[in-house]
Amino acid sequence: MKSAILPTVVFAALASSAFAADEPDAKLMEAGKTAFMTCAACHGMDGKGVQAGPTKMAPSLVDSKIALGDPSVMGLVILHGIQKEGAEYLGMMAPLGTVLSDEQIAGAMTYVRNSFGNKAPGVSVEDVTKYREQWKDVTAPVTRAKLAELTEKK
């Protein structure tokens, strides 16, 4: 009887740890929820974009190619912002790389990637440090055309 129970217990423990590995880091999620307050001014508390008359302040983060795709592209957006182009959105995405720490950015990214119905791997503080290095030569907010190029090739 004991020999039949042991494999079941081992399997349950392994399954539980595999499930936990898929869950985003709780500390980063909490830091991200706090850091997201900066983002919520334009993206809204629900991530759907704040409506300002007939136009939104910013795009929805729900099922967003940028939020759920290559996290380095999302890092680029947060670090350097998005240029104001056209009238689709009222605002430009402000560059936040000088005002948010790597931990705040990792938290916000992890939070967005795992909130509003989104489900994607979390982002570590070390990842954000790499994104800062990867995008260090970018000196102006990115264009939507460049973002489209970056999200299409991944």
Side-chain angles (χ1 to χ4, degrees), residues 32-102:
K33 188 174 184 180
T34 301
F36 183 75
M37 293 304 110
T38 301
C39 313
C42 296
H43 290 287
M45 292 300 294
D46 61 1
K48 293 181 180 177
V50 172
Q51 196 70 40
T55 310
K56 288 189 176 191
M57 291 292 297
S60 174
L61 298 172
V62 177
D63 200 29
S64 161
K65 279 185 177 181
I66 293 171
L68 297 174
D70 178 352
S72 72
V73 175
M74 186 179 184
L76 168 65
V77 167
I78 294 170
L79 291 167
H80 297 287
I82 302 175
Q83 287 184 23
K84 169 72 173 144
E85 301 169 315
E88 187 175 1
Y89 303 106
L90 286 182
M92 69 171 275
M93 169 68 191
L96 299 172
T98 59
V99 296
L100 296 179
S101 69
D102 289 1

Side-chain angles (χ1 to χ4, degrees), residues 14 17 83 103 109 131:
L14 289 174
S17 65
Q83 287 184 23
E103 182 176 15
M109 290 176 71
Y131 305 151

Side-chain angles (χ1 to χ4, degrees), residues 49 74-75 82 106 128 130 153:
M74 186 179 184
I82 302 175
V128 175
K130 290 176 192 171
K153 69 179 181 181

